[in-house]
Amino acid sequence: TPSFVVASGLSSSMATAVLSSHWLGVTLSRAVFSSRVDRAKEVAVERSAVLSALVLVVLVVSDSPALVVLGPFAIGVCMALVMPTSLALAGERLQGNPGALFGGLLTVAQVGGMVLPASIGLLAEQTSVRTGLALLIGSYGVIALIVRRLVPDGYRQVAKAG
């Protein structure tokens, strides 16, 4: 985020403020929406991932300084439910050894947390920061597809009706 903001022509201090706004968006979104997704976790993860990808598309293709400043906050709001709600889903569906389950899932998440930013940086060096950020669009797209493939259609109908 800070690299994107600076590459867009804004100052380092503004980049720091924009990064802070991203985390504010994550925190506010989790506080507001986490209690509302209990009955439709799968739908919440899928919609969160799709909205994150859509906001990223707008951010990557736009040259608007206002979007550079506000976009990361919006992405934080959209993506906030993906990780904790995915963990809750796994815990509900795979009961038995929660220590091993959450240990494995958090390890995979940490590996992704190392590989994805490094990949974005490498691609950004070869092309542009905007192209590097486009990897996140793909990442959220994959999350949405995985959830869609793993969720039974009957559950979707219950979630829509409820």
mmCIF file of all heavy atoms in Angstrom, residues 4 51-64 66-68 71 74-75 130 137:
data_model
loop_
_atom_site.group_PDB
_atom_site.id
_atom_site.type_symbol
_atom_site.label_atom_id
_atom_site.label_comp_id
_atom_site.label_asym_id
_atom_site.label_seq_id
_atom_site.Cartn_x
_atom_site.Cartn_y
_atom_site.Cartn_z
ATOM 1 N N PHE A 4 2.453 1.778 -3.375
ATOM 2 C CA PHE A 4 1.461 2.201 -4.359
ATOM 3 C C PHE A 4 1.158 3.690 -4.215
ATOM 4 O O PHE A 4 1.097 4.421 -5.199
ATOM 5 C CB PHE A 4 0.183 1.371 -4.200
ATOM 6 C CG PHE A 4 -0.951 1.838 -5.056
ATOM 7 C CD1 PHE A 4 -0.934 1.633 -6.429
ATOM 8 C CD2 PHE A 4 -2.031 2.484 -4.503
ATOM 9 C CE1 PHE A 4 -1.973 2.065 -7.230
ATOM 10 C CE2 PHE A 4 -3.089 2.914 -5.280
ATOM 11 C CZ PHE A 4 -3.051 2.700 -6.651
ATOM 12 N N LEU A 51 -16.023 -8.370 -3.500
ATOM 13 C CA LEU A 51 -15.988 -6.916 -3.324
ATOM 14 C C LEU A 51 -14.550 -6.402 -3.239
ATOM 15 O O LEU A 51 -14.231 -5.345 -3.786
ATOM 16 C CB LEU A 51 -16.773 -6.504 -2.080
ATOM 17 C CG LEU A 51 -18.289 -6.577 -2.202
ATOM 18 C CD1 LEU A 51 -18.947 -6.334 -0.844
ATOM 19 C CD2 LEU A 51 -18.797 -5.587 -3.229
ATOM 20 N N SER A 52 -13.697 -7.146 -2.559
ATOM 21 C CA SER A 52 -12.282 -6.754 -2.478
ATOM 22 C C SER A 52 -11.658 -6.706 -3.861
ATOM 23 O O SER A 52 -10.940 -5.762 -4.202
ATOM 24 C CB SER A 52 -11.510 -7.730 -1.593
ATOM 25 O OG SER A 52 -11.998 -7.718 -0.278
ATOM 26 N N ALA A 53 -11.928 -7.733 -4.656
ATOM 27 C CA ALA A 53 -11.386 -7.769 -6.018
ATOM 28 C C ALA A 53 -11.912 -6.606 -6.852
ATOM 29 O O ALA A 53 -11.146 -5.968 -7.587
ATOM 30 C CB ALA A 53 -11.724 -9.102 -6.688
ATOM 31 N N LEU A 54 -13.205 -6.306 -6.728
ATOM 32 C CA LEU A 54 -13.783 -5.205 -7.509
ATOM 33 C C LEU A 54 -13.187 -3.856 -7.116
ATOM 34 O O LEU A 54 -12.863 -3.034 -7.984
ATOM 35 C CB LEU A 54 -15.299 -5.180 -7.343
ATOM 36 C CG LEU A 54 -16.057 -6.333 -7.984
ATOM 37 C CD1 LEU A 54 -17.531 -6.281 -7.619
ATOM 38 C CD2 LEU A 54 -15.869 -6.344 -9.485
ATOM 39 N N VAL A 55 -13.024 -3.611 -5.822
ATOM 40 C CA VAL A 55 -12.426 -2.351 -5.386
ATOM 41 C C VAL A 55 -10.981 -2.266 -5.866
ATOM 42 O O VAL A 55 -10.518 -1.210 -6.301
ATOM 43 C CB VAL A 55 -12.518 -2.189 -3.848
ATOM 44 C CG1 VAL A 55 -11.748 -0.971 -3.379
ATOM 45 C CG2 VAL A 55 -13.975 -2.078 -3.418
ATOM 46 N N LEU A 56 -10.271 -3.384 -5.821
ATOM 47 C CA LEU A 56 -8.890 -3.390 -6.320
ATOM 48 C C LEU A 56 -8.829 -3.100 -7.811
ATOM 49 O O LEU A 56 -7.928 -2.390 -8.271
ATOM 50 C CB LEU A 56 -8.220 -4.732 -6.027
ATOM 51 C CG LEU A 56 -7.593 -4.831 -4.651
ATOM 52 C CD1 LEU A 56 -7.391 -6.278 -4.248
ATOM 53 C CD2 LEU A 56 -6.272 -4.087 -4.624
ATOM 54 N N VAL A 57 -9.768 -3.634 -8.586
ATOM 55 C CA VAL A 57 -9.796 -3.341 -10.025
ATOM 56 C C VAL A 57 -9.938 -1.835 -10.234
ATOM 57 O O VAL A 57 -9.198 -1.234 -11.025
ATOM 58 C CB VAL A 57 -10.941 -4.102 -10.739
ATOM 59 C CG1 VAL A 57 -11.184 -3.547 -12.127
ATOM 60 C CG2 VAL A 57 -10.626 -5.582 -10.811
ATOM 61 N N VAL A 58 -10.874 -1.230 -9.530
ATOM 62 C CA VAL A 58 -11.077 0.220 -9.662
ATOM 63 C C VAL A 58 -9.803 0.964 -9.277
ATOM 64 O O VAL A 58 -9.375 1.893 -9.964
ATOM 65 C CB VAL A 58 -12.276 0.687 -8.806
ATOM 66 C CG1 VAL A 58 -12.361 2.197 -8.750
ATOM 67 C CG2 VAL A 58 -13.570 0.092 -9.349
ATOM 68 N N LEU A 59 -9.181 0.556 -8.197
ATOM 69 C CA LEU A 59 -7.968 1.222 -7.726
ATOM 70 C C LEU A 59 -6.820 1.074 -8.721
ATOM 71 O O LEU A 59 -6.104 2.036 -9.007
ATOM 72 C CB LEU A 59 -7.566 0.647 -6.363
ATOM 73 C CG LEU A 59 -6.446 1.350 -5.628
ATOM 74 C CD1 LEU A 59 -6.823 2.784 -5.309
ATOM 75 C CD2 LEU A 59 -6.122 0.599 -4.353
ATOM 76 N N VAL A 60 -6.660 -0.110 -9.280
ATOM 77 C CA VAL A 60 -5.550 -0.374 -10.201
ATOM 78 C C VAL A 60 -5.706 0.364 -11.518
ATOM 79 O O VAL A 60 -4.731 0.850 -12.087
ATOM 80 C CB VAL A 60 -5.386 -1.905 -10.424
ATOM 81 C CG1 VAL A 60 -4.487 -2.211 -11.589
ATOM 82 C CG2 VAL A 60 -4.847 -2.563 -9.157
ATOM 83 N N VAL A 61 -6.930 0.496 -12.008
ATOM 84 C CA VAL A 61 -7.117 1.128 -13.318
ATOM 85 C C VAL A 61 -7.327 2.637 -13.256
ATOM 86 O O VAL A 61 -7.263 3.310 -14.268
ATOM 87 C CB VAL A 61 -8.279 0.480 -14.118
ATOM 88 C CG1 VAL A 61 -8.014 -0.994 -14.349
ATOM 89 C CG2 VAL A 61 -9.610 0.701 -13.448
ATOM 90 N N SER A 62 -7.562 3.165 -12.055
ATOM 91 C CA SER A 62 -7.837 4.589 -11.925
ATOM 92 C C SER A 62 -6.564 5.378 -11.629
ATOM 93 O O SER A 62 -5.658 4.897 -10.974
ATOM 94 C CB SER A 62 -8.836 4.820 -10.793
ATOM 95 O OG SER A 62 -8.987 6.198 -10.558
ATOM 96 N N ASP A 63 -6.520 6.599 -12.113
ATOM 97 C CA ASP A 63 -5.417 7.510 -11.818
ATOM 98 C C ASP A 63 -5.827 8.579 -10.811
ATOM 99 O O ASP A 63 -5.068 9.519 -10.560
ATOM 100 C CB ASP A 63 -4.918 8.183 -13.103
ATOM 101 C CG ASP A 63 -4.192 7.204 -14.011
ATOM 102 O OD1 ASP A 63 -3.579 6.257 -13.502
ATOM 103 O OD2 ASP A 63 -4.257 7.407 -15.237
ATOM 104 N N SER A 64 -6.992 8.464 -10.241
ATOM 105 C CA SER A 64 -7.521 9.480 -9.341
ATOM 106 C C SER A 64 -6.775 9.487 -8.002
ATOM 107 O O SER A 64 -6.746 8.471 -7.302
ATOM 108 C CB SER A 64 -9.006 9.215 -9.083
ATOM 109 O OG SER A 64 -9.460 9.981 -8.001
ATOM 110 N N ALA A 66 -7.769 10.823 -5.317
ATOM 111 C CA ALA A 66 -8.763 10.553 -4.268
ATOM 112 C C ALA A 66 -8.935 9.055 -4.064
ATOM 113 O O ALA A 66 -9.039 8.582 -2.923
ATOM 114 C CB ALA A 66 -10.096 11.201 -4.626
ATOM 115 N N LEU A 67 -8.960 8.292 -5.158
ATOM 116 C CA LEU A 67 -9.079 6.842 -5.031
ATOM 117 C C LEU A 67 -7.824 6.220 -4.429
ATOM 118 O O LEU A 67 -7.912 5.246 -3.688
ATOM 119 C CB LEU A 67 -9.388 6.199 -6.380
ATOM 120 C CG LEU A 67 -10.831 6.354 -6.842
ATOM 121 C CD1 LEU A 67 -11.021 5.769 -8.239
ATOM 122 C CD2 LEU A 67 -11.794 5.709 -5.875
ATOM 123 N N VAL A 68 -6.668 6.776 -4.732
ATOM 124 C CA VAL A 68 -5.425 6.279 -4.144
ATOM 125 C C VAL A 68 -5.475 6.429 -2.624
ATOM 126 O O VAL A 68 -5.015 5.573 -1.882
ATOM 127 C CB VAL A 68 -4.197 7.019 -4.727
ATOM 128 C CG1 VAL A 68 -2.932 6.692 -3.959
ATOM 129 C CG2 VAL A 68 -4.029 6.677 -6.204
ATOM 130 N N GLY A 71 -9.112 4.319 -1.519
ATOM 131 C CA GLY A 71 -9.209 2.920 -1.927
ATOM 132 C C GLY A 71 -8.720 1.921 -0.896
ATOM 133 O O GLY A 71 -9.417 0.929 -0.612
ATOM 134 N N ALA A 74 -11.309 1.349 1.736
ATOM 135 C CA ALA A 74 -12.420 0.554 1.201
ATOM 136 C C ALA A 74 -12.030 -0.912 1.067
ATOM 137 O O ALA A 74 -12.831 -1.805 1.379
ATOM 138 C CB ALA A 74 -12.870 1.121 -0.139
ATOM 139 N N ILE A 75 -10.817 -1.179 0.633
ATOM 140 C CA ILE A 75 -10.352 -2.567 0.522
ATOM 141 C C ILE A 75 -10.297 -3.208 1.903
ATOM 142 O O ILE A 75 -10.698 -4.360 2.085
ATOM 143 C CB ILE A 75 -8.982 -2.633 -0.183
ATOM 144 C CG1 ILE A 75 -9.143 -2.219 -1.643
ATOM 145 C CG2 ILE A 75 -8.382 -4.030 -0.083
ATOM 146 C CD1 ILE A 75 -7.845 -1.915 -2.344
ATOM 147 N N ARG A 130 1.063 -0.956 -9.992
ATOM 148 C CA ARG A 130 -0.337 -1.292 -10.302
ATOM 149 C C ARG A 130 -0.477 -2.729 -10.803
ATOM 150 O O ARG A 130 -1.393 -3.446 -10.408
ATOM 151 C CB ARG A 130 -0.909 -0.317 -11.318
ATOM 152 C CG ARG A 130 -1.110 1.075 -10.750
ATOM 153 C CD ARG A 130 -1.671 2.043 -11.802
ATOM 154 N NE ARG A 130 -1.701 3.385 -11.296
ATOM 155 C CZ ARG A 130 -2.698 3.874 -10.563
ATOM 156 N NH1 ARG A 130 -3.733 3.138 -10.280
ATOM 157 N NH2 ARG A 130 -2.649 5.119 -10.116
ATOM 158 N N ILE A 137 -6.019 -9.047 -6.985
ATOM 159 C CA ILE A 137 -7.319 -9.278 -7.625
ATOM 160 C C ILE A 137 -7.491 -10.765 -7.880
ATOM 161 O O ILE A 137 -8.529 -11.350 -7.567
ATOM 162 C CB ILE A 137 -7.443 -8.469 -8.932
ATOM 163 C CG1 ILE A 137 -7.362 -6.979 -8.628
ATOM 164 C CG2 ILE A 137 -8.731 -8.820 -9.682
ATOM 165 C CD1 ILE A 137 -7.131 -6.108 -9.852
#
